[in-house]
Amino acid sequence: QVQLVESGGGLVQAGGSLRLSCAASGRTFSIYAMGWFRQAPGKEREFVAGMRWSGSIIYYADSVKGRFSISRDNAKNTVYLQMNSLKPEDTAVYYCAVQRGALGDLRSDRDYDYWGQGTQVTVSS
């Protein structure tokens, strides 16, 4: 089992930046990939960014390309989401998730096995 704890959310003005962190614990050796999703009120949960733990494959949603970046610190078992040039449309609860299987689609929430509790990001105009 893998436990995930997100942090770094908060209130920021449009154009500002935030860095989200997701610390993994437990059976971290089983992690194949990690990703970030977000869900705004009244909307479906959507893919934001994901990467294989090896770093060999990285995907971003079109809506965040050029503004967000995903990275990892292997020694700390932590994945980050650096968010720049934030827009009010980015306001959502952001979730970190883990894939343990090697055949999953990084962009599909159905292929993730463990989820964090979420952290709120609010971007004001």
Side-chain angles (χ1 to χ4, degrees):
Q1 190 174 31
V2 176
Q3 295 81 43
L4 303 171
V5 179
E6 302 102 328
S7 62
L11 175 64
V12 65
Q13 294 182 351
S17 298
L18 285 173
R19 189 180 74 160
L20 306 183
S21 298
C22 176
S25 61
R27 295 182 176 270
T28 57
F29 57 84
S30 68
I31 296 174
Y32 182 74
M34 297 186 71
W36 289 95
F37 293 78
R38 66 187 183 187
Q39 188 167 26
K43 294 186 176 181
E44 296 285 326
R45 184 166 58 192
E46 66 174 340
F47 170 78
V48 177
M51 68 183 299
R52 293 184 183 175
W53 195 243
S54 67
S56 61
I57 299 292
I58 299 175
Y59 289 125
Y60 294 99
D62 289 341
S63 59
V64 306
K65 284 181 179 177
R67 299 189 298 120
F68 292 8
S69 63
I70 187 171
S71 62
R72 62 172 168 83
D73 185 330
N74 187 56
K76 297 181 179 180
N77 292 316
T78 299
V79 64
Y80 304 95
L81 184 69
Q82 179 67 47
M83 305 185 294
N84 299 323
S85 301
L86 283 162
K87 305 174 181 179
E89 305 93 273
D90 296 317
T91 296
V93 177
Y94 284 71
Y95 297 91
C96 173
V98 161
Q99 285 185 8
R100 63 184 179 184
L103 301 179
D105 183 348
L106 290 177
R107 297 157 291 189
S108 174
D109 58 358
R110 297 175 61 186
D111 290 343
Y112 286 79
D113 301 291
Y114 302 102
W115 294 83
Q117 81 289 344
T119 185
Q120 177 72 48
V121 172
T122 302
V123 184
S124 65
S125 59

